[in-house]
Amino acid sequence: MKTLFKKLSALKTVFRPHRCLGVLTLIIGCVFLKPLLLDLYDFVPQARGAFTGWKDLISTFGLLTLPQVVLGIAIVLMSIGLLLRARVAWSFTLILLIAVALFNFLLHDGSRHIGYLSLLDCLCLLWFWREFSQSSLAAGTLFALISFASLLTYALSGSLYLGDEFHPVINELSTALYFSTVSMSTVGFGDIVPVTASARLFTVSIIILGITVFATSISAIIGPVIGGNLKRMIKGRISHAMRKNHMIIIGATPLALSVYNGLSDRNETVTVIVPPGIKHEYPPEADVLIDDPSSDKALRDAGAEKARYILVLRNDDSDNAFIVLAAKEVVTGETKILALVNSDKNLSKIKRVQPDIVFSLQTLASEMLLRKLSGENMDTDNLMDLLFQDGH
């Protein structure tokens, strides 16, 4: 039964909603791209040298072929963002999937199966929207690159297709790239001018889309960075204001984490001090200070003079002794210091620095085992006296 439970737990961690939706989106993108890429692969070698200009080339392939390829590639790339649980990838994927569904339902040669699968993916993304809450810099950068590449593809193909409607005529890829870049950036030198209504409307669309893409791309990339710094600033100020009549846990040991979880469940205000370079498993919302716990500054930043208890729970007894000495220089008479003793041979040394309470799991475990072997009974008072000893 335990083996079955472990296997089910492992499957649960693998088949998370964001992972399943990321894979489903990847499959939709690949299926959507496959016939287009196969057609291009078969058509290009046969038609090489048969085109007289860019307009002829675009007309032969079809105006919608290139946008469909870009759309499919964008969906494939956005599936990576979904696996990262990025919010920007979630919102962008919804728009792309709706576009895929419209392509397949409105075009005569579209696949309705892909359209229905895209709509199903959209519904699932809306249902599990809470899974995608990360502000990822990588996903924001990916979104910016896809948006820029899509807009540039649109501008290049349109400029080449409507090349005769500009003055001077756009009939080279380099000229189209120049005009597209100038229009997207809204610089507008005026050396290439649209002379027909269609060309003017097309140029206006490039300018509007350029402003939109650049603005959203900057916010998608810079937003997580600024947001993270702002969040840390606000969190630091709020935490500092709440550090009063609280508990301070020093260390990142399993015992320290267990004590933190227990105090949090009892709605206690807890501040944790973790030495630099030590990994910890405290939750993101925890009030954690990364600093040297034996320094006066770290203890004052944690509000040691206003704390009820300071729990020194590191694995090294010598570190615990130094931290107790530093804490006694900072705290007032109201604050109690509890020190963990990891080895019985260091019990007397820890007591010399005079913490208010000495906590020794090793002493308790050995005494309980000896009494169990000798048949002696142990009541609650004896247990508490062995577990918590007076440090003075």
Side-chain angles (χ1 to χ4, degrees):
M1 192 67 182
K2 290 183 178 179
T3 304
L4 178 61
F5 180 76
K6 289 181 179 179
K7 289 182 178 179
L8 291 176
S9 300
L11 288 175
K12 185 178 179 181
T13 57
V14 173
F15 293 101
R16 297 288 298 274
H18 70 278
R19 293 178 181 172
C20 295
L21 291 173
V23 173
L24 177 60
T25 304
L26 176 62
I27 293 173
I28 292 173
C30 292
V31 173
F32 182 68
L33 273 175
K34 183 180 177 181
L36 298 171
L37 295 179
L38 288 177
D39 290 343
L40 289 174
Y41 179 79
D42 294 334
F43 181 75
V44 169
Q46 300 174 5
R48 186 179 300 172
F51 303 113
T52 58
W54 285 103
K55 187 171 184 177
D56 186 21
L57 174 63
I58 296 172
S59 300
T60 304
F61 277 110
L63 283 174
L64 294 178
T65 300
L66 194 56
Q68 287 181 64
V69 172
V70 174
L71 182 59
I73 294 174
I75 290 178
V76 171
L77 294 177
M78 277 298 107
S79 65
I80 301 173
L82 293 180
L83 293 174
L84 296 174
R85 303 176 67 179
R87 172 65 67 177
V88 65
W90 175 85
S91 56
F92 197 39
T93 302
L94 282 175
I95 299 173
L96 294 175
L97 289 173
I98 292 172
V100 169
L102 291 175
F103 262 109
N104 286 279
F105 286 135
L106 297 179
L107 295 180
H108 67 279
D109 56 346
S111 173
R112 292 187 175 271
H113 297 293
I114 301 178
Y116 288 125
L117 193 60
S118 300
L119 293 179
L120 175 63
D121 197 6
C122 285
L123 292 176
C124 293
L125 285 171
L126 291 172
W127 182 264
F128 293 106
W129 65 274
R130 289 186 179 87
E131 291 287 326
F132 305 95
S133 57
Q134 302 296 323
S135 296
S136 172
L137 180 60
T141 305
L142 186 62
F143 165 80
L145 291 175
I146 292 174
S147 301
F148 179 77
S150 302
L151 177 57
L152 183 60
T153 302
Y154 165 74
L156 283 173
S157 57
S159 301
L160 292 169
Y161 185 76
L162 300 173
D164 295 337
E165 301 179 27
F166 290 87
H167 180 74
V169 174
I170 299 176
N171 52 15
E172 294 180 356
L173 184 60
S174 59
T175 307
L177 177 62
Y178 166 76
F179 175 76
S180 300
T181 306
V182 169
S183 300
M184 288 165 54
S185 60
T186 68
V187 174
F189 290 121
D191 50 347
I192 300 177
V193 181
V195 294
T196 65
S198 300
R200 292 191 185 102
L201 291 174
F202 170 71
T203 305
V204 169
S205 69
I206 295 178
I207 294 172
I208 294 175
L209 290 173
I211 294 172
T212 305
V213 166
F214 286 136
T216 53
S217 298
I218 290 173
S219 63
I221 295 174
I222 300 179
V225 178
I226 297 177
N229 292 335
L230 185 61
K231 183 179 179 181
R232 285 191 290 271
M233 290 171 59
I234 295 174
K235 180 182 175 182
R237 292 179 181 178
I238 293 175
S239 299
H240 191 271
M242 293 174 60
R243 289 170 190 155
K244 184 178 181 181
N245 198 30
H246 60 300
M247 309 274 193
I248 297 177
I249 295 177
I250 297 176
T253 61
L255 174 62
L257 180 62
S258 179
V259 172
Y260 171 84
N261 291 331
L263 291 174
S264 298
D265 292 340
R266 290 167 174 79
N267 296 320
E268 294 282 355
T269 303
V270 184
T271 296
V272 181
I273 304 177
V274 178
I278 300 226
K279 295 182 179 179
H280 66 84
E281 298 181 1
Y282 292 105
E285 66 274 10
D287 181 19
V288 179
L289 293 178
I290 307 298
D291 206 341
D292 180 9
S294 61
S295 69
D296 293 350
K297 178 182 178 300
L299 292 168
R300 293 186 190 279
D301 289 343
E305 66 276 9
K306 298 179 182 179
R308 282 189 293 149
Y309 282 94
I310 298 177
L311 310 178
V312 186
L313 305 177
R314 297 201 63 187
N315 281 329
D316 192 307
D317 288 335
S318 60
D319 288 341
N320 290 343
F322 280 116
I323 294 169
V324 170
L325 287 173
K328 290 178 72 68
E329 296 293 327
V330 176
V331 302
T332 61
E334 301 293 328
T335 305
K336 302 293 183 184
I337 303 173
L338 182 148
L340 171 66
V341 179
N342 297 281
S343 177
D344 276 346
K345 66 180 182 180
N346 297 324
L347 182 59
S348 59
K349 297 178 182 178
I350 294 292
K351 285 187 175 182
R352 288 176 191 170
V353 297
Q354 297 184 340
D356 296 287
I357 304 170
V358 176
F359 178 69
S360 176
L361 286 175
Q362 193 176 78
T363 302
L364 174 66
S366 61
E367 187 65 25
M368 288 181 66
L369 179 59
L370 290 172
R371 295 199 181 194
K372 181 66 176 179
L373 294 174
S374 61
E376 298 180 25
N377 294 325
M378 178 176 289
D379 55 25
T380 306
D381 292 336
N382 290 335
L383 178 64
M384 296 301 291
D385 290 339
L386 285 171
L387 188 59
F388 299 103
Q389 302 179 34
D390 190 354
H392 297 291

